[in-house]
Amino acid sequence: MAAVAGTEAVPAGQGPVTGEPARRGPAGGRRPRAAAAVRSSAWRWAVLLLAALYFLLPMAASLEFSLRDRDGGYSLESYRAIVDEPGFASALWTSVKLGLITVALTIGLLVPTMTLVHLRFPWLRRVIETITVLPLVIPPVVLVIGVLGAFEGAPNWLIGSPTILAFEYVILAMPFAYRSLDAGIGAIDLRTLVEASRSLGGGWATELFRVVLPNLRGAVLGACVLTLALVLGEFAMASLLLWSTFPTWVVQVAGTQAGVSVAVSVLSLFLTWALLMLLMFLGDRRGRRSTFLGGVPGG
Amino acid sequence: MGETTATADQAPGAVAGDDGRAGARAADEAGGGTGGALAVPAAGAVGIELRELHRAYGRVAALDGLSLTIAPGELVALLGPSGCGKTTALRALAGFERPDSGQILVGGIDITGVPANKRDMGMVFQAYSLFPNLTALGNVAFGLRLRGLAARRRRARAAELLELVGLADRAGQYPHQLSGGQQQRVALARALAIEPRVLLLDEPLSALDAQVRAALRDEIRSLQTRLGITTLFVTHDQEEALSLADRVGVMRAGRLEQIAAPEVVYAWPRTAFVAEFVGTVNRLPGRLDAAGTGSGGGTVEVIGQRLPVLEVGSSDRSLGQDVAVLVRPEAVLLAALDPAGGPEGQRDGAAAAPGVPGRVVQRSFRGAVTRVQVELPGIERAGVAGTGSAELTAAAAPGGPGGAGRSGLVVADVATAQVGDLAVGAQVLVSLADRPVLVTAP
């Protein structure tokens, strides 16, 4: 109702304020602004080009090197040789297995925790967020020793096998997975949805499996991809703990068979990329706005 | 701008005709089960009782001893400014908020400790409560699925409910493909699908635009009446509350200020807060007559007239003192004065009454009535206007139409058909209808 009475006061108060810049705008401002636009667009292209060179050049070089023949020509020899190289299958299988375990642990740990924190303990969000950044700051050696310390006295099948790496990787993947999930949760009205489910008679299992997970699909897929990509490429920890995973195998082969090792790298690059595309496609299939990779820091 | 139409609809008596086209259509479509009787509680309808609910957030008391009884099949609206505790009350009833003390009874059984998912209440939220990953049909079927209904039966039932809310053709669409009004209809169908004992509506219309809001409001009312579900409706929109509810409870600071039928709340507000929150009200300076005081009301002298005082119970008035008299715009009568000063156009026989001269400063057309602002020279506004009369405060501010801001302003609702001679700048005689008025401290 204030609007009715205010009709007279508003034009009187706003007139001089809005009027003047509008008059000044077109007369004085156009030409410099156009020039600035051209300049800024030139800069934009330059930066884009530099970035493209920075990322694409190494890839192109790797590809070219992996295709090179012993006699100076080009062939797929290196790629064919991958299969013959001893240890390839087992190393790859170890890494894939680790990746799957890590993904399961990460999602199983983060989704319920984040849901609970979001709904019940919102004041804990800052704390959780800070904790998830720590793995980026703490050197891998410290993490490795920390996890080993924490698992002291654990059964041998765990400590005595590469499976222990999965627990290390959960920590490493935390910053990325957290951010992806956090963006997903931020994009839906989680509280209302959960309350709606509860008022319809749903318990916590319904909440988690029928409401939270389906509506965080994109975010969960994003977290999965990031985690998987990280595990498939992690070298430092596996090497420190002396387990043979796919990345350590690649490095090992590089010492003797440079061509093969680069071929494997290129192959894994394309595989990861294909995986990413597949998941993006799955995440977007219903045409909903995607939260995929929404909050992931660049890199 | 939605408020512009408010005053016209608020007139007492405008509440009666709820059962419009939507109701008739819904009744036609009713297959079976609900009997179709109007305004009769359904067989299983239950009463609700909130007893002395307290809930504090830190030092702020959201509920401060709220007690409320809702009869089986009744629709009660809780109305109040934000932060008055109305939403907390609804959430306590839904089970999302646990009261610090007090009891909640549904059908005579204490459910204070029962978790939300076991309370059997359908709830419609403000907005964005549909599951984005499910179609309209899937959303409506959600609760039925949790109740273990077979796939075919829950589909049939969900389709039936979508038809009830007029969205049968949208069954396969996802929430983001539906408009705001359609989403709320689906949410309503979803809440009704589980055949709840109680329906809770948490400002379900507040996110919609005016036209959709009015249509859906009527539809909710006719559905509720037909199904006979005991319903609690929470809103900050007085028009909504007045037009929808059997009884309106006006809340302030965690307590009920008054609860009564809409007409009663509007015409006989128990406190100044209610008067000013529900509808627009003028504050005019008056003086209580010492004579005839006591619990019997007494009289008050205001702009040269003597009017009976509405009984107020625990009012803050003491006798023989300056007070503010609260007068609805439709109780302010205007008669045009010819330039010489004598009354000319005589309306309602009111020109015979004494009055004070004034000058029309603004007119706004509101359909059946036109709201006229009149400046009263020499009469200052009595006290600071409350929520309902924000208009007066704004208008009388320095620099406003009042110019110096010295003169008092009064707003009157005049039937548009009779407003012709009251042009801006015209001299008028202002008087008040002879009916009891509410007084408050200036």
Side-chain angles (χ1 to χ4, degrees), chain B residues 77 88 100 178 185 191 204 299 306 314 339 345 380-381 397 409 411 419:
Chain B
T88 311
D100 299 332
L178 302 171
R185 276 163 206 264
T299 55
R306 177 172 289 183
S314 62
E380 288 192 32
R381 213 153 42 86
L409 281 170
V411 295
V419 83

Side-chain angles (χ1 to χ4, degrees), chain B residues 287-301 306-321 323 325 435-440:
Chain B
R287 183 182 290 271
L288 276 185
D289 277 350
T293 53
S295 62
T299 55
V300 64
E301 197 187 311
R306 177 172 289 183
L307 298 175
V309 172
L310 199 64
E311 180 155 13
V312 186
S314 62
S315 164
D316 40 9
R317 78 198 147 96
S318 58
L319 315 170
Q321 136 202 42
V323 290
V325 180
R435 57 173 92 142
V437 290
L438 197 70
V439 299
T440 180

Side-chain angles (χ1 to χ4, degrees), chain A residues 65-109:
Chain A
F65 182 77
S66 69
L67 291 173
R68 224 183 268 171
D69 217 329
R70 258 173 220 174
D71 352 305
Y74 290 102
S75 79
L76 287 173
E77 173 60 26
S78 299
Y79 288 89
R80 204 197 48 75
I82 292 174
V83 194
D84 299 338
E85 201 61 35
F88 166 75
S90 81
L92 186 63
W93 173 233
T94 304
S95 276
V96 168
K97 203 167 63 182
L98 281 176
L100 294 179
I101 297 174
T102 310
V103 162
L105 284 175
T106 305
I107 300 300
L109 205 65

Side-chain angles (χ1 to χ4, degrees), chain A residues 10 15 45 64 92 113 126 147 157 185 200 215 244 265 276 296:
Chain A
V10 167
W45 281 109
E64 195 268 348
L92 186 63
T113 309
R126 276 287 158 76
V147 170
W157 62 262
I185 289 177
L200 292 168
N215 288 303
S244 175
S265 304
L276 211 83
V296 178

Side-chain angles (χ1 to χ4, degrees), chain A residues 1 3-5 7-8 189 192-193 195-203 206 210-211 214-215 286-288, chain B residues 1 3 91 96 116-117 121 123 125 128-133 142 145-147 190 194 280 362 366 391 401:
Chain A
M1 301 208 173
V4 177
T7 42
E8 263 151 311
D189 192 342
T192 306
L193 293 183
E195 284 181 353
S197 142
R198 233 181 286 168
S199 82
L200 292 168
T206 310
R210 294 252 172 87
V211 178
N215 288 303
R286 290 196 193 169
R288 284 179 286 121
Chain B
M1 272 292 135
E3 283 153 281
R91 292 176 58 81
F96 297 137
N117 56 347
M121 294 184 182
M123 182 153 170
F125 298 80
Y128 312 119
S129 74
L130 293 185
F131 305 117
N133 59 316
F142 190 90
R145 186 171 175 176
L146 295 182
R147 274 160 178 70
R190 182 178 69 178
I194 58 172
T280 303
Q362 197 183 340
R366 302 185 175 205
E391 184 164 349

